[in-house]
Amino acid sequence: MHESKIERIAVIGLGKLGSPIAACLAAAGYTVVGVDTDPAKVEAINAGHAPVNETDLEATISRSEGRLTATTEIDRAVEQADATLIMVPTPSDPDGRFSLKFVLAAIRATGRALRTRRGYHLVSICSTVMPGATGGEIREALELTSGQRVGETLGLCYSPEFIALGSVIRDYLNPDMVLIGESDPCAGAALESIYRTVCHNEPSVQRMSFVNAELTKIAVNSYITTKITFANMIGGICQNLPGADVDVVTGALGCDSRIGRKYLKGAVGYGGPCFPRDNVALARAAELAASGADLARSVDQTNRAEVRRLADLVRTHLTDSQHTVGVLGLSYKPHTEVIEQSQGLLLTQALAGDGVPVIAHDPAALANARAVMADDIRFAETLEECLAAADVLVITTPWPQYTQITNAMLAGAGRHRKLIDCWRCVEDVALRESADYIAIGVGPREATVDIDVHVNATSLQVA
Ligand SMILES: NC(=O)c1ccc[n+]([C@@H]2O[C@H](COP(=O)([O-])OP(=O)(O)OC[C@H]3O[C@@H](n4cnc5c(N)ncnc54)[C@H](O)[C@@H]3O)[C@@H](O)[C@H]2O)c1
């Protein structure tokens, strides 16, 4: 096995994943050329600006001290690089599989650029793909277009990231685990050396075959979606059980080291660009492998039903058909403008579909929501505008500004509004104790039992 020193890296795809990772690699000392078909992203990088909204991205680009440039010409970037990392979209097909349309376009262009190149080159796929894809269609396309066999001079890896939008840079630099599916030990070692250089911690590096890595990636996210759905089920039970409180129950559950605290909130269904898709993809992978997909399917169906459950609950608090619901939060989580499969968006659509007047607010996602929502949805530019227009408010995303809503704010303009807090995040004690506050996952107050202390002479008799 020969050692291959990686100094220059091409990053194909400068989106939500690619641009922060390109910046981290350059900040760590690699010479990085980013490639995107979108000239606006290329221009942003070359001007030292963040092409997407991500925490610390602009600062990380500036720490790269000129080692990060970008181009729309993939061949120029790949020809000069020792490694090519592919981070293009893999949209879901109608049957739940990840489409390879963009990955294969990028791989073919990479392969063509490698035709005349001498010396070792590593190609790594970071985009999420189905089990069997890297060793199948991807490898075939790379070998066909490059005219080289994967092995001696051409390494191939599959290395997806476990990052969350809003903390992509922190997560990339401090991973729990680095997952590497490798064509051979040389390819895996070359990629591992990049992570060892860039990461601020000493992550567990899990190296394995392509298919095991492909399955691991979607299994990790599907395990988390199952955990979220389980906690939501506990929340649903608590909601109807006098005296029960999901935070108390899941707080104790999380203390068991076999379970752990993370993703055990018991609030709304999961959303975003990864969890729903990865869960459905695992179910599809199970079916394609002629294995049972019941658990993954059930998690998906339960999660899809969450929004109907919430919409029905909201409607029980509307005392007039003209009453307006204010949906607080359209992004799938705080600190991002991404709205894909967000519960706020789905709730807004469900209520509007029921004919309920809705006004929606979000600190960051209004523009994205406007682009996909029907014309009959109203949007509030400010939280105050939403509070003023709504009769019943629902916190669907726990943005920090929503935790600061007070009893006084709800009681303004001479009327009381109800607040349904899906995350139990409001801090104002007076509001939490008022009759206008409904916490999801908290049961009705326990009925006070009137103990009848009627004592009669016979009951005092000792037998
Ligand atoms: N965003 C996440 O949180 C996240 C997390 C883990 C994994 N992933 C996976 O990473 C991959 C990328 O996700 P993303 O969120 O960064 O997508 P994105 O849509 O934000 O960015 C993809 C970029 O690739 C560019 N592109 C498409 N085809 C190209 C080509 N042939 N050459 C050059 N550029 C091209 C697009 O213009 C776009 O800028 C997906 O497979 C996704 O499932 C994403």
Side-chain angles (χ1 to χ4, degrees):
M1 180 177 116
H2 62 86
E3 278 284 305
S4 11
K5 185 140 178 56
I6 308 282
E7 288 170 352
R8 296 161 302 173
I9 300 176
V11 173
I12 317 300
L14 295 170
K16 297 183 287 295
L17 195 65
S19 54
I21 291 179
C24 287
L25 291 165
Y30 291 101
T31 300
V32 179
V33 181
V35 180
D36 206 292
T37 44
D38 176 0
K41 293 201 173 78
V42 169
E43 280 164 29
I45 291 271
N46 287 333
H49 298 309
V52 297
N53 200 357
E54 183 55 49
T55 311
D56 284 340
L57 179 51
E58 201 136 317
T60 310
I61 291 173
S62 71
R63 272 204 305 282
S64 71
E65 294 168 352
R67 287 183 297 271
L68 174 62
T69 56
T71 173
T72 53
E73 293 166 34
I74 191 166
D75 43 354
R76 196 164 63 80
V78 171
E79 276 162 15
Q80 292 166 12
D82 309 309
T84 298
L85 311 185
I86 297 194
M87 311 198 189
V88 298
T90 45
S92 298
D93 279 343
D95 76 346
R97 279 184 285 194
F98 299 111
S99 162
L100 287 179
K101 186 171 69 169
F102 298 103
V103 171
L104 289 177
I107 277 288
R108 290 189 186 111
T110 301
R112 284 192 292 272
L114 291 174
R115 254 188 184 273
T116 51
R117 195 183 183 280
R118 299 274 165 272
Y120 188 81
H121 193 92
L122 172 70
V123 176
S124 181
I125 312 292
C126 299
S127 309
T128 312
V129 301
M130 292 299 284
T134 313
E137 281 181 86
I138 293 172
R139 178 188 204 130
E140 198 181 308
L142 182 62
E143 291 185 336
L144 207 67
T145 49
S146 67
Q148 298 174 48
R149 301 284 297 175
V150 165
E152 187 66 16
T153 55
L154 180 60
L156 179 61
C157 286
Y158 172 65
S159 184
E161 297 297 336
F162 300 94
I163 50 91
L165 295 180
S167 56
V168 173
I169 290 174
R170 193 187 64 207
D171 296 348
Y172 180 69
L173 296 177
N174 303 281
D176 288 344
M177 185 247 302
V178 167
L179 179 61
I180 298 178
E182 58 193 42
S183 56
D184 56 273
C186 179
L191 188 57
E192 180 174 347
S193 77
I194 296 176
Y195 281 108
R196 295 272 179 224
T197 306
V198 174
C199 290
H200 291 175
N201 62 348
E202 293 284 330
S204 161
V205 178
Q206 296 290 315
R207 288 172 50 185
M208 55 190 76
S209 67
F210 292 143
V211 75
N212 282 326
E214 288 159 336
L215 185 56
T216 303
K217 155 68 175 147
I218 51 178
V220 166
N221 279 355
S222 298
Y223 190 89
I224 298 169
T225 56
T226 306
K227 195 173 177 188
I228 293 169
T229 306
F230 181 86
N232 289 347
M233 179 187 75
I234 300 296
I237 298 170
C238 291
Q239 181 88 25
N240 295 336
L241 205 57
D245 184 333
V246 68
D247 287 327
V248 176
V249 178
T250 57
L253 275 176
C255 291
D256 187 316
S257 63
R258 294 168 300 177
I259 298 173
R261 291 174 191 277
K262 290 183 178 172
Y263 293 97
L264 206 56
K265 181 68 185 167
V268 299
Y270 57 82
C274 290
F275 282 165
R277 287 177 353 104
D278 285 8
N279 192 86
V280 171
L282 183 72
R284 190 71 193 121
E287 284 159 0
L288 290 169
S291 172
D294 291 358
L295 178 60
R297 286 274 173 234
S298 169
V299 167
D300 181 50
Q301 282 161 10
T302 307
N303 193 63
R304 284 176 200 269
E306 290 285 349
V307 74
R308 187 68 259 167
R309 200 161 68 100
L310 181 58
D312 290 345
L313 181 117
V314 171
R315 291 184 62 184
T316 63
H317 291 281
L318 296 171
T319 50
D320 187 311
S321 64
Q322 298 308 306
H323 275 176
T324 296
V325 174
V327 173
L328 297 176
L330 296 168
S331 58
Y332 80 98
K333 62 175 195 169
H335 309 292
T336 175
E337 76 277 23
V338 175
I339 56 167
E340 273 168 89
Q341 298 293 309
S342 87
Q343 296 296 305
L345 186 85
L346 296 173
L347 177 67
T348 303
Q349 288 167 335
L351 290 170
D354 292 345
V356 175
V358 186
I359 182 163
H361 175 261
D362 191 282
L366 280 189
N368 285 344
R370 273 201 179 95
V372 300
M373 294 269 221
D375 292 342
D376 55 345
I377 308 289
R378 288 163 63 203
F379 293 98
E381 292 298 331
T382 62
L383 171 58
E384 289 69 25
E385 187 189 338
C386 196
L387 291 179
D391 301 285
V392 173
L393 291 134
V394 192
I395 299 179
T396 41
T397 315
W399 280 97
Q401 35 279 76
Y402 301 156
T403 68
Q404 302 305 311
I405 296 173
T406 61
N407 208 18
M409 288 160 82
L410 277 196
R415 64 195 172 109
H416 272 265
R417 296 151 184 92
K418 285 187 179 170
L419 177 68
I420 300 174
D421 185 352
C422 298
W423 292 88
R424 304 169 298 283
C425 62
V426 163
E427 290 170 9
D428 183 33
V429 176
L431 174 52
R432 291 184 78 114
E433 287 175 354
S434 83
D436 298 325
Y437 180 80
I438 300 112
I440 293 290
V442 177
R445 283 174 206 268
E446 269 175 318
T448 40
V449 183
D450 289 330
I451 302 166
D452 189 356
V453 280
H454 178 77
V455 179
N456 64 42
T458 45
S459 69
L460 290 173
Q461 281 175 5
V462 178

